[in-house]
Amino acid sequence: MREEHTIFSLSFTENRSTLQKTWGLSDFYSATADWPYPRGLVQPLNRMPPEILEAWPPGVAGGHESGFLATHSLEFWITSEDLPDPANRVALDPDGAIRVRYSRNNTVAHERLTAKLAEILATIEGPGYRAQDHFRAQVMPIGVNSHQCGTARFGEDPAASVLDLDCKAHDLDNLYVVDASFFPSSGAVNPSLTIIANALRVGAHLQERLS
């Protein structure tokens, strides 16, 4: 689980794009003079249709009707890193039920990223753009999650990790795990390329070991 928000911004200009989800903004993943930690990643979402926007409460986004909102909207998904916390875990109850224990963290960085995106959009849109009327941020609950990782984290200490640094189970000689489970924590970017790179690394290790 990571700190995630969906962002809806109302633009003064009609949005005619059809393939919005083709780029990302990672400029705020690096430290800055005013904040020495990563804030996270901004990526566009596909646009919401009028049928979904019709369900919004009256007065949201300036009180515009759903057709106008659908043609003047900019939607974003912003993500911040989930910091390691030993209390956050997936476990099995005695009856076999899956139990997820999770408390939000890294919220300050995430709030700074949200505010920065609002500031950028206000600069782009110019006079008349007000966050209270044109910018809507909604935090995603744990039920809305993707890119699950970290359930079999790797490390040097068997007491604090499931896998060793080559992604082999500490207690089993013939079990390697190379999906997203090995992550010690969740980054704010999609993990597929990291998973692939690690799988190639572990594959090279296995080839060397078996030879």
Side-chain angles (χ1 to χ4, degrees):
M1 184 65 181
R2 302 173 295 191
E3 280 297 308
E4 298 174 326
H5 266 84
T6 55
I7 303 295
F8 180 93
S9 179
L10 183 62
S11 176
F12 298 137
T13 305
E14 184 178 359
N15 181 5
R16 298 181 181 179
S17 64
T18 56
L19 296 173
Q20 288 188 168
K21 199 174 180 181
T22 55
W23 57 275
L25 185 64
S26 58
D27 297 51
F28 310 113
Y29 219 129
S30 301
T32 59
D34 64 327
W35 185 250
Y37 308 106
R39 280 174 285 188
L41 180 74
V42 178
Q43 48 184 326
L45 287 171
N46 294 321
R47 296 165 62 191
M48 284 190 280
E51 292 78 10
I52 292 179
L53 296 169
E54 285 175 0
W56 279 21
V60 172
H64 296 284
E65 54 91 19
S66 60
F68 181 86
L69 294 177
T71 56
H72 290 73
S73 63
L74 297 169
E75 291 94 348
F76 298 93
W77 186 272
I78 63 172
T79 311
S80 299
E81 291 184 1
D82 182 35
L83 304 180
D85 183 346
N88 287 344
R89 59 181 59 241
V90 179
L92 288 176
D93 283 346
D95 61 359
I98 297 174
R99 178 76 61 185
V100 178
R101 297 200 300 269
Y102 174 73
S103 297
R104 296 178 61 197
N105 63 33
N106 204 26
T107 55
V108 175
H110 195 66
E111 290 165 359
R112 283 175 170 265
L113 181 61
T114 305
K116 187 63 178 179
L117 180 58
E119 176 188 325
I120 291 171
L121 293 172
T123 301
I124 293 171
E125 293 293 333
Y129 185 93
R130 302 194 310 163
Q132 60 266 40
D133 294 332
H134 301 92
F135 186 89
R136 183 174 186 258
Q138 180 177 352
V139 65
M140 293 292 97
I142 193 170
V144 181
N145 67 82
S146 55
H147 308 302
Q148 293 89 342
C149 62
T151 52
R153 59 182 294 170
F154 74 164
E156 297 179 330
D157 182 4
S161 59
V162 178
L163 311 171
D164 67 16
L165 297 184
D166 291 316
C167 289
K168 183 186 76 66
H170 286 297
D171 300 326
L172 295 170
D173 191 50
N174 63 344
L175 176 62
Y176 285 78
V177 180
V178 292
D179 64 3
S181 302
F182 85 93
F183 281 32
S185 63
S186 178
V189 297
N190 294 350
S192 297
L193 292 178
T194 305
I195 295 169
I196 293 168
N198 181 64
L200 292 172
R201 180 186 71 89
V202 174
H205 165 75
L206 284 170
Q207 185 177 35
E208 181 180 352
R209 180 182 177 188
L210 294 175
S211 63

